[in-house]
Amino acid sequence: MEKLKREFFEGNTLNVAKELLGKILIHRIAGVELAGRIVEAEAYIGAVDKAAHSYNNRRTARTEIMFGPAGYAYIYLIYGMYYCMNVVTGKAGEASAVLIRALEPFYGMQQMAFRRYNKPLEELTKNQRIHLTNGPGKLCAALGIDKNCYGEDLLGERLFICREISEAPFEIETSKRINIDYAEEARDFLWRFYIKNNAYVSRK
């Protein structure tokens, strides 16, 4: 596999969101590698997007990382208990990012099972296996991604994204983003992208 370079993340945020599909997210933690194939992603563009934490170029201690440069991890907490991972994209100053919404486990599933359910993989039901990583909070829990990963350089050796030498073809579906009904007109933006018919997509 080949690690993605900075130039990849510096592209147009909507394009980057689509191009991240099929790529492999890897987290090295506690001496092991946990990895999943990205199957669902959502784009957020701060200047015009009322769903973005950086809407209207709002700078806070939390959102500062979104203003660039690209290729860093923006991690935040939802509901006071679940972490979500975003990839900072676009040109410096644009405050754009892509939320990784779902993964298909690639390797390290035994460790993921213990992190999510505190039991071995072979004891999981079929439904539990699907729910290992089919949501932004779930995938972070399974891969051990938390506040300690905030600001991580995705060109480093701990948390990074790779492309396979030979990627299997797939179709991309497009839809509105999820759980942003508060965002007025932005709730209708078709900025969610996912791999058609993949079982790990969070919502069909």
Side-chain angles (χ1 to χ4, degrees):
M1 292 192 289
E2 177 187 21
K3 189 182 298 182
L4 298 182
K5 296 179 171 58
R6 186 83 61 200
E7 292 77 11
F8 175 94
F9 303 107
E10 291 173 338
N12 174 278
T13 298
L14 296 177
N15 291 337
V16 173
K18 288 181 279 189
E19 290 168 2
L20 278 169
L21 298 178
K23 304 300 186 290
I24 309 300
L25 174 64
I26 300 172
H27 188 207
R28 291 174 173 162
I29 182 173
V32 299
E33 284 191 354
L34 306 177
R37 178 176 286 106
I38 299 170
V39 299
E40 181 181 358
E42 289 180 346
Y44 290 84
I45 301 175
V48 298
D49 183 4
K50 292 179 181 177
H53 295 162
S54 55
Y55 171 61
N56 202 24
N57 291 318
R58 182 173 60 243
R59 299 180 88 123
T60 66
R62 181 176 73 163
T63 64
E64 187 64 30
I65 193 70
M66 294 180 70
F67 287 84
Y72 286 80
Y74 170 47
I75 311 295
Y76 63 85
L77 193 66
I78 58 172
Y79 310 130
M81 57 192 303
Y82 302 115
Y83 288 100
C84 295
M85 177 182 170
N86 298 255
V87 177
V88 176
T89 59
K91 298 177 181 178
E94 290 185 351
S96 299
V98 173
L99 171 67
I100 308 301
R101 273 205 63 90
L103 300 176
E104 178 182 343
F106 192 70
Y107 55 78
M109 289 182 68
Q110 191 66 255
Q111 291 86 352
M112 292 183 199
F114 276 105
R115 287 182 177 278
R116 286 277 287 119
Y117 299 108
N118 197 33
K119 57 185 179 182
L121 181 66
E122 54 270 20
E123 292 184 11
L124 300 189
T125 65
K126 181 179 179 180
N127 189 57
Q128 286 176 322
R129 290 191 182 215
I130 291 294
H131 283 270
L132 269 178
T133 52
N134 70 338
K138 297 173 187 178
L139 72 89
C140 283
L143 270 67
I145 297 170
D146 58 20
K147 63 181 179 180
N148 295 310
C149 298
Y150 178 95
E152 190 78 16
D153 188 348
L154 300 178
L155 275 66
E157 298 300 322
R158 184 168 71 137
L159 182 66
F160 52 96
I161 302 174
C162 294
R163 71 172 84 245
E164 294 183 87
I165 300 303
S166 179
E167 294 183 343
F170 54 81
E171 292 185 50
I172 296 176
E173 295 275 15
T174 301
S175 79
K176 299 177 184 180
R177 294 169 296 179
I178 295 173
N179 293 334
I180 59 162
D181 287 344
Y182 59 86
E184 299 179 3
E185 73 279 357
R187 67 186 179 185
D188 294 321
F189 294 174
L190 301 179
W191 288 2
R192 173 179 175 245
F193 309 99
Y194 57 94
I195 294 179
K196 184 178 181 179
N197 296 327
N198 187 282
Y200 288 89
V201 170
S202 65
R203 189 181 301 177
K204 305 301 186 292

